[in-house]
Amino acid sequence: MTLMTRELKASFAFVERNFNLTKRYWGWEVAFLVYAVAGALAVSLIGAGQNDTRLLLTLVIGAVFWNYLSVVFSFIAETVSWERWEGTLEYTFMAPVRRYAQMLGSTLYAVIFGFVHTVVVLVVLALFFELDLSQANFGTAAVFMVLGSVSFIGIGIMTAILPLMYVERGAQMTFVLQSVLLLISGVYYSIDVLPGWMQVASNFSPATYVLDGVRAGLIDGVGTADLLRDVWPLALMGIVFIPLGLWAFGRAERYAKRTGKLKRVG
Amino acid sequence: MTGLLQEPKTEPMRAPVPAAPPSRTRRTLPEDGVPALLVEHVTKQFLVGRKRKPVTAVKDISLRIRRGEIYGVLGANGSGKSTFIRLVSTLLTLDTGKVEVFGHDIERDEMAVKRLINRVSVDAAFFKKLSPFENLAYAARLYGMDPKSARQQAIAILARLGISEKRLGRPLEQMSRGMQQKVAIARALLTSPTLLLLDEPTTGLDPRSKLDVQSFIEDLRDGHDATIVLTTHDLAEADRLCDRIAIINDGRIVVEETPEALKVLVAERHGQEPTMESVFMTFTGRSLDDDLDNENDENDEG
Ligand SMILES: Nc1ncnc2c1ncn2[C@@H]1O[C@H](COP(=O)(O)OP(=O)(O)O)[C@@H](O)[C@H]1O
Ligand SMILES: [Mg+2]
């Protein structure tokens, strides 16, 4: 019990630190937010231009939820590369903190930050367009938001290993992975339009199920109970990826300490 | 001030170190009991570059450091000092051998060891945009400390090092190297380590900051029960601060003695001047300015 409280308290170190980083890098945060808003608007305007309310809603949902998921993903996946860049990685790894506490703290902040970020995008879109949400089932959207977070936290942790193992390439790999997820998950289009092999790949992206579920809920008012086809893959990915990710992270840390990948100079 | 200056956290069964007399040469340290740091036959090899050329950074090092001792590791660039410090800091795994910190095995008892140690490296590794306070609060929380009392301690330590509280709220990147290094020292002391690892803490500092840091270490040595491992390639610094010095060359410890004994040794046995310079030349066959590191300096991207 005391161990648990100790680790929980330590995990707050990461929340507070990341909050301070956001504050100090506020200029960049604003710039990225503007970029996110502009991107979401640009895509949604395609739907508005077609005078197709269903298409508009499909695009808005894609933009908003992808924004949330990608922010959560990149925050977690970049915990190591960020500290590598700052030069603090060794100090964090030297501290008497368990990795799960570190991940918990990083994850908590990622979810809060992603949520706030996304609400801003959503508010701008809502001001811009008249969205027809008369049918919407918000409960479904909330459930998928939670499930999506869990599964993305899982792959975020798995991906965070790459920068640990590959000093420079790792960060590039996480970036590429995020791009691939955007492409295969049907963020702005139905996955049916993708080539066959990409459709197969899309089954492995949690975003595919999140977007399918949220769209069914918000556009057609479908309840969670009728969306089990999307619920179980997400739940499964969360249950498998989070523990697997933590385990693999531990292995990767060990590898990095054996081969001298944490830091070399100085 | 606290940190190292506080009572030790472990090994209460041993008699406390007697108050240190002003001069190092007459310091008496207890020989018995659990060593602060025990290193036995430790080796570490890296595979460097595309061709994965093996480089043995640390070769079969053994040593025993008593509580309260300031132990110097003196060596040229690339001789393996930082690798040694990282091995003790749990940042690298051992290829062979064992390390114990106050009786805790570094592999089996990693968390316990982590709580007992802290380290200062050549580069003051901080979140550059965060203020010293924010950086120190992060460190304090990681070590399970209350950030408020940590703040008070940090103010006290930094005041002693000549940095006023006013400077501590602005981004760290606005500070000079010397100041940043002082904040790094405060960060390490904050967690009350019983074993403090200082890896070239004064390298690259301006003369003034260098003196500040050295006299602070002297304070820790003279007034308190601090066990410190100090690596340096500054002969005068090693001579001034350390109770014992190990000279490391190509990953191997070639000699280990008190500074006085080293000087006597080269004078009597080798007929050299009794200076640290001739000590170093005699035992390593090179001058301290030689850089051993260049041939291995390929990019280690793998
Ligand atoms: N993480 C690492 N990966 C590969 N080689 C390393 C690493 N760390 C140190 N080395 C090599 O080991 C040798 C000793 O380096 P180091 O311990 O940094 O020496 P010092 O601190 O005395 O300058 C050097 O040849 C260096 O290139
Ligand atoms: Mg070094």
Side-chain angles (χ1 to χ4, degrees), chain B residues 179-206:
Chain B
M179 281 190 166
Q180 292 189 16
Q181 193 63 321
K182 289 173 182 177
V183 178
I185 289 170
R187 168 173 64 187
L189 286 181
L190 210 55
T191 66
S192 312
T194 34
L195 175 64
L196 181 60
L197 306 163
L198 301 177
D199 190 4
E200 301 195 34
T202 62
T203 298
L205 296 193
D206 58 287

Side-chain angles (χ1 to χ4, degrees), chain A residues 7-266:
Chain A
E7 298 295 333
L8 278 178
K9 272 174 121 174
S11 70
F12 187 70
F14 297 91
V15 177
E16 185 184 64
R17 180 201 82 189
N18 286 352
F19 177 71
N20 284 330
L21 284 170
T22 302
K23 233 172 46 187
R24 296 281 184 180
Y25 282 97
W26 69 269
W28 277 113
E29 298 301 353
V30 170
F32 283 129
L33 189 57
V34 169
Y35 181 80
V37 168
L41 268 178
V43 170
S44 305
L45 280 164
I46 297 171
Q50 302 286 315
N51 263 327
D52 181 338
T53 50
R54 195 178 173 88
L55 177 61
L56 174 62
L57 211 47
T58 302
L59 293 175
V60 167
I61 290 169
V64 167
F65 278 80
W66 176 252
N67 186 69
Y68 174 73
L69 294 175
S70 61
V71 168
V72 170
F73 173 82
S74 57
F75 256 66
I76 299 170
E78 285 167 11
T79 28
V80 171
S81 25
W82 187 272
E83 289 215 53
R84 210 186 259 296
W85 180 74
E86 292 272 11
T88 54
L89 191 60
E90 287 192 318
Y91 284 86
T92 298
F93 275 60
M94 227 175 72
V97 175
R98 311 241 170 227
R99 259 356 119 209
Y100 69 80
Q102 178 179 356
M103 286 303 157
L104 182 69
S106 308
T107 298
L108 210 62
Y109 189 76
V111 168
I112 297 167
F113 183 90
F115 188 77
V116 172
H117 200 265
T118 303
V119 164
V120 175
V121 175
L122 183 64
V123 165
V124 175
L125 291 183
L127 291 174
F128 230 81
F129 305 111
E130 236 164 82
L131 300 174
D132 175 17
L133 290 169
S134 53
Q135 303 280 311
N137 184 333
F138 291 104
T140 302
V143 168
F144 277 95
M145 184 103 166
V146 172
L147 285 172
S149 305
V150 173
S151 54
F152 261 75
I153 288 164
I155 54 169
I157 296 174
M158 303 267 288
T159 313
I161 293 167
L162 295 171
L164 204 48
M165 298 177 63
Y166 306 99
V167 175
E168 212 173 304
R169 300 262 179 275
Q172 296 158 358
M173 287 186 225
T174 46
F175 193 67
V176 169
L177 184 72
Q178 191 179 336
S179 315
V180 171
L181 287 176
L182 168 64
L183 185 64
I184 63 173
S185 306
V187 175
Y188 299 118
Y189 38 78
S190 160
I191 50 173
D192 302 336
V193 303
L194 293 172
W197 63 273
M198 277 198 190
Q199 291 191 30
V200 174
S202 76
N203 288 317
F204 297 97
S205 164
T208 307
Y209 305 101
V210 176
L211 290 160
D212 190 57
V214 170
R215 284 193 176 119
L218 289 183
I219 300 176
D220 300 318
V222 183
T224 313
D226 297 320
L227 288 169
L228 292 181
R229 63 165 196 270
D230 293 322
V231 169
W232 76 260
L234 286 174
L236 186 72
M237 285 189 208
I239 292 169
V240 173
F241 284 160
I242 292 181
L244 185 66
L246 284 170
W247 174 80
F249 197 92
R251 303 286 306 191
E253 179 179 344
R254 184 104 192 133
Y255 168 82
K257 288 179 175 176
R258 186 161 55 76
T259 53
K261 301 275 192 222
L262 285 186
K263 192 157 191 273
R264 174 166 179 189
V265 289

Side-chain angles (χ1 to χ4, degrees), chain B residues 140-157:
Chain B
R141 283 196 196 278
L142 285 183
Y143 284 78
M145 297 175 66
D146 167 38
K148 280 216 189 64
S149 67
R151 191 185 170 101
Q152 292 314 313
Q153 288 182 41
I155 291 171
I157 297 170

